[in-house]
Amino acid sequence: MIIRVKKAIVKQIIAAFVFTLIVGCSPASEITPSSQNPTTSTPITDTAQELLLNMKKLAEQGKVINADFPVKTSNLEDVKRKWGEPDKTDWVPAAKGSYSTYSSHGIVIGFNKGLQIFEMRSFDKQLQIITLAKAKEIYGSPAYDVKANGEEIIGYAAGGEFKIELVFPQPTSLMQDPVLDHYLVLYPQGTVNSMANDPGRQW
């Protein structure tokens, strides 16, 4: 009886030891995604890069993310048919047009007197993974870089007709690499008023 019990105990010890070896030697690829900590690994950086590249690609078509209304070829009536009436509309002289806000979509739309859309601004929450340093790393030195009113705005050409601008809080000693607040795609030609000899905006 004693010998049988001892044999059973030895078998259990050996089984436990073998199991420990198997689990300890399992490759990292077998770890389930839920057991990985996304806040300490590189995917966030990769996601920011992927998002920036997608933003640039869409900008070359006159679009911002999550809004299928390209500047130049869309007008405000196109938007109203899909999204309804805007929350508010304001005339902004410095920006050369009127701006309608669609808060639930995180979108602000700039349009001229003919209702042609010349600017789309996106305040999508996913933009908050993009930092100023990351934007400059992916897009390179900006063609436009202005600091004013507590903001730093950097801009790049997007194809032959459009511009993409990214708006960040201005860097400070406490926040040297701020996170993107919003960005926009601009069709400068849509801001020109030939009758008033107004050359419009470039940025």
Side-chain angles (χ1 to χ4, degrees):
M1 222 19 197
I2 292 172
I3 291 171
R4 267 189 243 156
V5 170
K6 284 184 177 179
K7 283 182 179 179
I9 292 172
V10 169
K11 285 180 181 178
Q12 289 176 3
I13 291 172
I14 291 171
F17 180 69
V18 170
F19 178 75
T20 301
L21 280 176
I22 291 171
V23 172
C25 295
S26 294
S29 60
E30 293 181 4
I31 299 173
T32 59
S34 60
S35 66
Q36 296 179 10
N37 185 353
T39 61
T40 57
S41 54
T42 54
I44 295 229
T45 302
D46 294 342
T47 302
Q49 176 175 325
E50 185 179 338
L51 179 56
L52 281 162
L53 293 174
N54 187 42
M55 287 161 56
K56 189 72 177 292
K57 182 179 179 182
L58 286 171
E60 290 169 355
Q61 303 169 36
K63 298 179 182 179
V64 296
I65 57 174
N66 298 328
D68 195 25
F69 304 103
V71 297
K72 181 185 176 182
T73 57
S74 300
N75 64 57
L76 192 63
E77 293 303 318
D78 297 329
V79 181
K80 288 181 178 181
R81 277 193 288 272
K82 281 195 174 182
W83 289 357
E85 292 295 324
D87 301 321
K88 63 174 184 173
T89 298
D90 300 299
W91 164 250
V92 184
K96 310 287 185 182
S98 297
Y99 283 77
S100 289
T101 300
Y102 285 86
S103 302
S104 61
H105 295 275
I107 293 289
V108 175
I109 300 169
F111 57 95
N112 57 30
K113 290 182 179 178
L115 300 184
Q116 178 191 39
I117 296 174
F118 63 76
E119 182 180 334
M120 293 285 287
R121 299 181 186 181
S122 174
F123 292 81
D124 197 296
K125 290 182 179 179
Q126 66 179 309
L127 299 173
Q128 294 172 3
I129 65 171
I130 297 172
T131 65
L132 178 58
K134 190 65 180 177
K136 289 182 176 180
E137 175 194 333
I138 300 302
Y139 289 170
S141 297
Y144 177 76
D145 194 342
V146 171
K147 294 177 183 176
N149 303 317
E151 296 177 331
E152 179 168 359
I153 305 171
I154 59 174
Y156 303 85
E161 296 184 293
F162 309 124
K163 305 284 180 67
I164 180 171
E165 297 178 46
L166 295 86
V167 183
F168 296 86
Q170 193 168 322
T172 65
S173 57
L174 296 177
M175 185 176 59
Q176 297 181 16
D177 191 18
V179 170
L180 184 61
D181 180 73
H182 67 279
Y183 87 105
L184 63 93
V185 171
L186 175 69
Y187 172 55
Q189 190 63 29
T191 66
V192 174
N193 185 346
S194 301
M195 297 188 70
N197 291 321
D198 185 345
R201 293 164 51 193
Q202 283 305 306
W203 296 100

